Amino acid sequence: LTSSFAAQWLWVRNLDAAIPSEPIFPNFDEALKRALRQEIELFFDSIVSEDRSVLDLLDADYTFVNERLAKHYDIPYIVGTDFRRVQLGDDSPRRGLLGKGLVLLVTSRSTRTSPVVRGKWILENLLGTPPPAPPANVPPLPEQKQDDGRVLTVRELMAQHRANPVCATCHATIDPAGFALEQFDATGKWREVDVGFQPIDASGTMPDGTPFSGIHEFRRLLVDNPGPFVHTLTDRLLM
């Protein structure tokens, strides 16, 4: 279940192809990449071996880290290469799958986060509502750095993209879930400001009109309405 099913369902198999830009993320290395893989494997295996509720996949109050990963997650007092189980507080962004660095890494671009890829991953793999395929000849996003030197936020980039009526309808469904994870950078590290030192807006509105202000409220919405997630997980297992 862990090495085959979870590896496919959670995109663990995409990890080798995820190569963050070295000039932008100079602290990312192979040791961290290996740690991200081991964390999610230990986490998923614990849910199965301890016969825990599948909803713990979304909101478990623990994870597994070694010193390298703990440093990336800003978790103190962890020393050494061995992994150990650590408790997470109610306000920890690392609770459940949405806080796992591997998921956040493989759903990002090499130079920046991607609300589209992250939103699509959530819709497909957690909620079972995959968005339609993009139309042909979709224009690429504009450059983040403008001619005047200003660096646009990812939300501003997406707003320009949605100005195209062909793109707007689908992105209204995809983008909110992706923006919920925007306080994690492209390597899964938590941040308060983006690359342009602008405060990050991680708010959004669910397709049913329910608003949320960030990852904590978004995760709670998924847990409080478990039907779509449980159905999707069951569907994936049966496949």
Side-chain angles (χ1 to χ4, degrees), residues 52-67:
R52 302 177 70 94
S53 165
V54 295
L55 294 184
D56 283 354
L57 287 165
L58 294 178
D59 196 33
D61 62 354
Y62 68 91
T63 192
F64 298 84
V65 296
N66 63 0
E67 182 177 359

Side-chain angles (χ1 to χ4, degrees), residues 38 48 66 76 86 120 143 156 177 187 210 212-213 220 225 233:
Q38 190 158 354
V48 176
N66 63 0
V86 295
K120 183 174 182 287
E143 294 294 329
E156 288 173 328
T187 66
T210 305
F212 60 86
S213 63
R220 179 48 48 191
N225 181 28
L233 176 58

Side-chain angles (χ1 to χ4, degrees), residues 7 10 43 61 70 77 87 97 105 122 133 146 198-199 216 228 236:
L10 301 176
F43 175 68
D61 62 354
Y77 314 124
Q87 289 298 119
L97 292 172
L105 172 64
I122 291 170
Q146 302 295 285
Q198 298 296 314
H216 304 294
R236 296 295 187 273

Side-chain angles (χ1 to χ4, degrees), residues 9 25 36 41 53 72-73 116-117 120 142 216 227 239:
W9 176 47
F25 305 105
L36 293 174
E41 289 175 346
S53 165
H72 190 63
Y73 284 177
V116 176
V117 179
K120 183 174 182 287
H216 304 294
M239 283 199 298

Side-chain angles (χ1 to χ4, degrees), residues 21-109:
S21 169
E22 186 172 355
I24 299 175
F25 305 105
N27 295 322
F28 190 89
D29 55 24
E30 286 299 316
L32 178 55
K33 183 179 280 193
R34 291 192 299 270
L36 293 174
R37 180 193 297 271
Q38 190 158 354
E39 177 199 20
I40 206 165
E41 289 175 346
L42 289 169
F43 175 68
F44 183 86
D45 189 64
S46 73
I47 301 293
V48 176
S49 62
E50 296 169 22
D51 197 25
R52 302 177 70 94
S53 165
V54 295
L55 294 184
D56 283 354
L57 287 165
L58 294 178
D59 196 33
D61 62 354
Y62 68 91
T63 192
F64 298 84
V65 296
N66 63 0
E67 182 177 359
R68 180 68 186 89
L69 185 56
K71 182 179 179 181
H72 190 63
Y73 284 177
D74 296 319
I75 297 175
Y77 314 124
I78 304 296
V79 179
T81 58
D82 292 339
F83 273 75
R84 75 289 316 266
R85 185 171 180 148
V86 295
Q87 289 298 119
L88 301 172
D90 291 342
D91 60 347
S92 173
R94 299 298 169 186
R95 295 172 70 102
L97 292 172
L98 295 180
K100 297 295 175 279
L102 183 143
V103 169
L104 298 159
L105 172 64
V106 300
T107 55
S108 295
R109 305 299 185 192

